[in-house]
Amino acid sequence: MSVHPDVTPLEFLLGSWKGSGHGEYPTIESFDYFEEVSFVAPPGKPFVVYTQKTRHADDDRPLHTETGYLRPVGDGTVEMTLAQPTGVVEIHVGTVSAGRLELTTHQVGLTPTAKEVTSVRRELAVDGDTLTYDLAMAAVGRPITHHLHAVLHRI
Amino acid sequence: MSVHPDVTPLEFLLGSWKGSGHGEYPTIESFDYFEEVSFVAPPGKPFVVYTQKTRHADDDRPLHTETGYLRPVGDGTVEMTLAQPTGVVEIHVGTVSAGRLELTTHQVGLTPTAKEVTSVRRELAVDGDTLTYDLAMAAVGRPITHHLHAVLHRI
């Protein structure tokens, strides 16, 4: 079985990516990180499995990780479900066009002990074998503010 | 690095499991399935990564898959974040005691095109190398109703 036809609009993302990024937010010290990301399309299924992890650039300690699914639902619309070990789940809705995916929070769910996250905006662009993304976030009482920028390369 | 001390209450789940189950719900035809589950504790991190997939017992076609994280937060309380490719995310809170984990929905998030799920209750018990679980669900307008029962073996 090959890639499900629904997944075609996301084919530019499929594979494994590796690179580095910079994080900032008004409530924390800025930091640099290494990142590995994969987008896998299980044969015949109408979705893409997303996994991500980052490590601190200074001492290589594990930082963030998250996992979830992208599902195109027609007319260039993509839905995303996402789970994080920090007690956060996210539902995103967005648009995909040639080499570009933009996602905005539809709903956030939090465990009782999670830090408050109210909204996240993700923009990913692929040009050849380079993936660039930016993430802005409204969290811990702050309005939507730029948080992450990274450049990854296909491996 | 070894398993994070916070993860100790969940050590009985760690590893890979394989077996079969039976599904039922008032709105669907009953079915039998094969299942693979893994619980992995990344070294030094205070959570467990959960992945699951099932295949139909009749023709081996892929059925459900889900992924997320378990995080013990003290006093036998466990929080779970979960993402599904069907457009559903779940936040669970539950309790862990010797060989037993019970989780009840705290919040459900849905993409605009997802089927309505309002509540899920999960009970997992490990006895030696056997994991048994039951899942009950309130969905598509039905009250909480038994949906899945499976018996898995450590591989």
Side-chain angles (χ1 to χ4, degrees):
Chain A
M1 266 189 292
S2 57
V3 165
H4 191 287
D6 287 3
V7 168
T8 310
L10 295 175
E11 265 185 323
F12 67 92
L13 283 173
L14 298 182
S16 295
W17 305 83
K18 205 169 180 173
S20 59
H22 179 76
E24 58 187 4
Y25 207 69
T27 57
I28 59 167
E29 205 173 323
S30 297
F31 60 101
D32 294 306
Y33 60 92
F34 302 124
E35 180 164 23
E36 287 179 53
V37 169
S38 75
F39 296 96
V40 175
K45 301 294 280 185
F47 58 82
V48 170
V49 185
Y50 163 70
T51 56
Q52 183 262 25
K53 55 184 165 181
T54 58
R55 306 183 76 89
H56 201 291
D58 288 350
D59 57 8
D60 211 39
R61 72 176 185 276
L63 293 174
H64 185 74
T65 187
E66 60 188 25
T67 183
Y69 304 93
L70 291 162
R71 55 183 222 148
V73 292
D75 292 331
T77 301
V78 175
E79 299 179 345
M80 185 182 202
T81 59
L82 191 67
Q84 302 178 359
T86 47
V88 178
V89 292
E90 297 173 12
I91 295 277
H92 292 281
V93 179
T95 55
V96 61
S97 55
R100 193 164 182 87
L101 176 63
E102 297 187 13
L103 295 160
T104 305
T105 301
H106 179 67
Q107 274 182 285
V108 175
L110 301 171
T111 65
T113 69
K115 278 190 192 159
E116 184 227 5
V117 176
T118 49
S119 183
V120 180
R121 195 169 59 224
R122 295 163 187 262
E123 298 179 8
L124 295 88
V126 171
D127 183 8
D129 288 334
T130 303
L131 187 162
T132 308
Y133 78 82
D134 283 277
L135 185 150
M137 176 172 75
V140 292
R142 302 278 167 157
I144 194 128
T145 305
H146 190 265
H147 177 41
L148 303 172
H149 173 78
V151 180
L152 312 180
H153 302 282
R154 200 185 290 273
I155 55 173
Chain B
M1 267 187 291
S2 57
V3 165
H4 191 287
D6 287 2
V7 168
T8 310
L10 295 176
E11 265 186 325
F12 67 91
L13 283 173
L14 298 182
S16 296
W17 304 83
K18 205 169 179 173
S20 58
H22 179 75
E24 57 187 6
Y25 207 70
T27 57
I28 58 167
E29 205 174 324
S30 296
F31 61 101
D32 295 305
Y33 60 91
F34 302 125
E35 179 163 24
E36 287 178 53
V37 169
S38 75
F39 296 97
V40 175
K45 300 296 280 185
F47 57 83
V48 171
V49 185
Y50 163 69
T51 56
Q52 184 261 25
K53 55 184 165 182
T54 58
R55 307 183 76 88
H56 202 291
D58 288 350
D59 57 9
D60 212 39
R61 72 177 186 275
L63 292 175
H64 185 75
T65 188
E66 60 187 27
T67 184
Y69 305 93
L70 290 162
R71 55 184 222 148
V73 293
D75 292 330
T77 301
V78 175
E79 299 179 343
M80 185 184 202
T81 58
L82 191 66
Q84 301 178 359
T86 47
V88 178
V89 293
E90 297 173 13
I91 295 277
H92 292 281
V93 178
T95 55
V96 62
S97 56
R100 193 164 182 86
L101 176 63
E102 297 187 14
L103 295 160
T104 305
T105 302
H106 179 68
Q107 273 181 288
V108 175
L110 301 171
T111 64
T113 70
K115 278 191 191 156
E116 184 227 5
V117 176
T118 49
S119 182
V120 180
R121 193 169 61 225
R122 295 163 186 262
E123 298 179 9
L124 295 87
V126 171
D127 183 7
D129 287 335
T130 302
L131 187 163
T132 308
Y133 78 81
D134 283 277
L135 186 151
M137 176 173 74
V140 292
R142 302 278 169 158
I144 194 127
T145 305
H146 190 265
H147 178 40
L148 302 172
H149 172 77
V151 179
L152 312 180
H153 301 283
R154 201 184 289 273
I155 53 173

